[in-house]
Amino acid sequence: MDAKAESNNILVRDLCKKFDGFALEHVSFQIPKGRIVGFIGENGAGKSTTINLILNELKKDSGTIEIFGVDHSDCSVKEEIGVVFDECNFHEVFTTDNIDKMFSGVYKSWDSERYQEYLQRFKLLSNKPIGSFSKGMKMKLSIICALAHRPKLLILDEATTGLDPVVRDEILDLLLEFIQDEDHSVFFSSHITSDIQKIADYVILIHQGKIIFEEQKDDLVYHYGILKCGKEKFAAISPDDYIIHRITNVSVECLVRDKEAAKRKYKDVIVDSAALEDIMLFYVKGGISCGD
Amino acid sequence: MRGLIYKDFSVFYKSIDKRTIIIVVGAVALILYRVGSYGGLLASLIFAMTVGMQNIMSFVSDDKAHWKKYQMAMPLSDFSVVASKYISVLCTLGISIFGSIALNILSSVISQSFSPEVYGMAVFMAVFIPLLWTGICLPLIYWFGVQSAQMANMFMVFLPILFEYTNSLPIKKDLNLFSLFFLAGIIILVIFGISLLISVRGYRRRQ
């Protein structure tokens, strides 16, 4: 196993997949050990397609995907992956006890004690059918099941979408707890950028099937900024100092890579901090890239 | 694989619809009352069909929960996923056989008659019909989706109608039960084997 595969739980290189009207083009990224990686992008950007390809649920056209240094098509790697999709996939007639019995016959490393501990912690009743659970309870159950077989890698595909802030916060806490082991990783796809901003170490933005950036979250939220100025002052701003600009009715907004440097250089303009959502919107809704 | 067999058998058992029970009990009572000495046989046919259809309904339940997507993220080979379905169907045969014997005993009591050939044929149907039915429907599900199996399920209701109106019970006076079961075993093995292979190929397909 090479050094790159050793330090990453997922390694994706030049991944391509073509559908009618949509294509994932040369997607490359990595999920380092001990890190939470947020995967953001608008609906239809290619997040779920990428995850389905990683899980070998879709057939890739080209490229390589390695999980724990092994090709992703080897089904034994899934023993150490916990997966949570955007909906609860358990049959509504089941109880949590049924799920315990079922998974103990699926995962070699299924830990019933740990599962029961989590159920008690999240107050999920064992004798009630899942059909009577709220959406938040169902998602908590899905995450508990993903954790109870002691995986090294958690993959969450829009798992917090549609949940209230309290449940989302509980789930994020659980992820932070999971990541305390430095061999563990979380790959967390969401379009709720505030969740990603809260817990991710790295952020990958995908747009129209292409990776736009793969950056450390702190670099994005502490250094990126939005420079706002009037149209006449915009002419004085060097294209080297911003990434994208967009023209509104009253002003011009530029996404800058180093807000402090921009503040020092351009005294008479406003430079605000950029939240992850702002950065995503700049790239997704468009603007004019300084290279254009 | 053990976990999936448990899951499938549990779904089978838990998703039995009360309305189905009422309809089956009503139909069976009517048959036992009307048909006479072959009432147990015809009731067994209805019961075996119900078991076969219930197996298909449990696959519909999988579809509703988008189970396949979740299952594909588990450390299970394509073959073991499909094979577990077939094994769970085999597990439900116990219910079918038990029901068949119970219905024939009831029929014997009502009609005051006993024929070992009829009992043998009833047990044969209790095994053969659910297996034949799932043997046909599972490849349809894995290749064309659950709806195709639901459509096929609809044709199954014509079976007892045909059975009743033609009045052509396939029982001969010199019937040899041993050869009947042997023949049934061979047929089931062939149908199930071919069906399993077709289903595995269907499940393996990735978009």
Side-chain angles (χ1 to χ4, degrees):
Chain A
M1 201 187 297
D2 63 26
K4 208 156 196 185
E6 215 164 82
S7 58
N8 294 294
N9 277 339
I10 301 180
L11 202 55
V12 177
R13 285 286 164 261
D14 270 328
L15 181 63
C16 296
K17 174 75 186 173
K18 202 168 181 184
F19 297 100
D20 282 341
F22 175 77
L24 212 61
E25 290 173 48
H26 302 284
V27 166
S28 297
F29 61 87
Q30 56 203 32
I31 311 295
K33 287 181 180 176
R35 296 282 183 263
I36 297 179
V37 178
F39 195 34
I40 59 172
E42 80 277 26
N43 287 333
K47 300 190 295 293
S48 293
T49 303
T50 307
I51 287 176
N52 289 334
L53 286 163
I54 289 172
L55 294 171
N56 200 26
E57 298 197 358
L58 292 175
K59 201 173 152 191
K60 62 181 188 267
D61 292 341
S62 62
T64 59
I65 303 170
E66 284 182 17
I67 302 176
F68 313 126
V70 178
D71 187 77
H72 71 132
S73 59
D74 182 342
C75 86
S76 66
V77 297
K78 291 178 181 171
E79 188 70 47
E80 294 189 294
I81 306 176
V83 180
V84 184
F85 292 111
D86 57 345
E87 57 184 350
C88 177
N89 297 95
F90 300 124
H91 297 71
E92 303 223 314
V93 288
F94 275 5
T95 62
T96 53
D97 282 347
N98 291 139
I99 288 171
D100 190 9
K101 281 182 194 142
M102 175 182 72
F103 278 134
S104 62
V106 170
Y107 290 101
K108 287 178 200 147
S109 51
W110 179 258
D111 186 341
S112 274
E113 267 180 43
R114 189 181 172 131
Y115 175 72
Q116 295 298 338
E117 277 170 24
Y118 276 130
L119 289 181
Q120 281 182 2
R121 180 170 149 192
F122 290 104
K123 299 181 181 65
L124 296 177
L125 302 168
S126 59
N127 56 351
K128 294 252 181 179
I130 290 163
S132 68
F133 285 10
S134 66
K135 184 165 186 196
M137 288 162 86
K138 284 179 183 173
M139 287 319 291
K140 279 189 222 172
L141 178 64
S142 299
I143 291 176
I144 289 170
C145 291
L147 291 171
H149 62 92
R150 300 188 175 279
K152 281 186 185 167
L153 170 66
L154 262 188
I155 297 179
L156 296 98
D157 188 7
E158 303 282 1
T160 56
T161 305
L163 300 179
D164 67 63
V166 179
V167 176
R168 273 179 21 224
D169 202 53
E170 282 179 304
I171 289 172
L172 298 184
D173 282 345
L174 209 55
L175 299 184
L176 289 172
E177 210 175 284
F178 173 78
I179 209 71
Q180 295 312 305
D181 186 322
E182 59 187 22
D183 276 340
H184 291 179
S185 308
V186 178
F187 185 41
F188 182 15
S189 120
S190 180
H191 53 250
I192 304 176
T193 48
S194 60
D195 286 348
I196 304 282
Q197 187 155 345
K198 224 179 238 179
I199 62 162
D201 300 298
Y202 289 88
V203 179
I204 300 168
L205 172 64
I206 187 165
H207 177 53
Q208 293 176 345
K210 289 178 191 153
I211 299 292
I212 304 295
F213 63 70
E214 182 185 4
E215 299 258 11
Q216 284 204 41
K217 182 200 73 187
D218 289 349
D219 281 349
L220 289 168
V221 295
Y222 294 129
H223 299 143
Y224 275 54
I226 301 169
L227 182 151
K228 294 173 183 169
C229 60
K231 285 174 187 168
E232 65 289 349
K233 284 183 185 165
F234 174 66
I237 294 171
S238 161
D240 295 338
D241 292 333
Y242 64 88
I243 307 163
I244 300 173
H245 77 275
R246 66 179 176 210
I247 301 163
T248 67
N249 287 340
V250 289
S251 64
V252 179
E253 294 181 344
C254 304
L255 182 69
V256 295
R257 204 177 290 277
D258 187 342
K259 66 182 172 198
E260 294 306 324
K263 274 181 195 169
R264 281 194 300 273
K265 191 167 177 183
Y266 305 103
K267 304 278 184 203
D268 50 350
V269 297
I270 300 165
V271 183
D272 289 335
S273 295
L276 208 47
E277 186 169 328
D278 300 320
I279 299 169
M280 183 175 120
L281 286 174
F282 256 101
Y283 281 106
V284 171
K285 280 181 81 178
I288 301 155
S289 165
C290 62
D292 294 344
Chain B
M1 198 207 270
R2 187 167 49 85
L4 290 187
I5 295 166
Y6 170 80
K7 185 223 91 187
D8 286 328
F9 193 69
S10 301
V11 172
F12 172 89
Y13 172 72
K14 286 184 175 232
S15 59
I16 295 172
D17 189 6
K18 279 178 195 155
R19 283 167 299 186
T20 309
I21 296 173
I22 292 167
I23 292 167
V24 170
V25 168
V28 163
L30 198 67
I31 287 163
L32 291 177
Y33 175 73
R34 272 191 63 202
V35 179
S37 56
Y38 289 127
L41 186 61
L42 196 52
S44 295
L45 174 73
I46 300 279
F47 190 73
M49 278 169 46
T50 309
V51 171
M53 284 206 253
Q54 185 60 28
N55 272 316
I56 303 305
M57 290 316 289
S58 66
F59 304 134
V60 174
S61 176
D62 276 2
D63 193 56
K64 227 169 133 185
H66 300 114
W67 176 257
K68 188 183 174 188
K69 183 181 175 189
Y70 193 58
Q71 187 175 252
M72 285 174 103
M74 293 177 194
L76 299 161
S77 67
D78 293 342
F79 181 80
S80 61
V81 166
V82 178
S84 70
K85 282 277 183 207
Y86 282 81
I87 294 169
S88 72
V89 170
L90 291 174
C91 294
T92 62
L93 291 184
I95 300 167
S96 181
I97 293 168
F98 176 80
S100 165
I101 293 169
L103 289 168
N104 274 282
I105 291 171
L106 198 62
S107 173
S108 292
V109 171
I110 293 168
S111 66
Q112 296 291 303
S113 64
F114 174 79
S115 162
E117 287 84 7
V118 171
Y119 272 67
M121 181 58 88
V123 170
F124 167 81
M125 286 196 307
V127 174
F128 185 75
I129 289 175
L131 292 186
L132 175 72
W133 204 242
T134 44
I136 293 168
C137 287
L138 272 178
L140 286 176
I141 289 172
Y142 286 119
W143 281 87
F144 307 110
V146 167
Q147 279 177 339
S148 62
Q150 282 177 303
M151 287 289 286
N153 248 354
M154 285 164 62
F155 289 106
M156 199 167 182
V157 295
F158 293 109
L159 212 61
I161 297 167
L162 196 76
F163 198 81
E164 170 133 14
Y165 282 92
T166 56
N167 198 19
S168 59
L169 294 172
I171 300 172
K172 292 174 186 171
K173 290 218 174 345
D174 58 345
L175 187 74
N176 181 333
L177 277 181
F178 179 77
S179 58
L180 181 69
F181 289 133
F182 181 75
L183 185 69
I186 299 284
I187 292 170
I188 288 165
L189 211 68
V190 171
I191 291 174
F192 239 54
I194 293 170
S195 171
L196 176 64
L197 293 177
I198 297 170
S199 294
V200 171
R201 287 201 65 155
Y203 185 78
R204 269 195 188 137
R205 286 175 313 149
R206 299 276 196 278
Q207 220 186 333

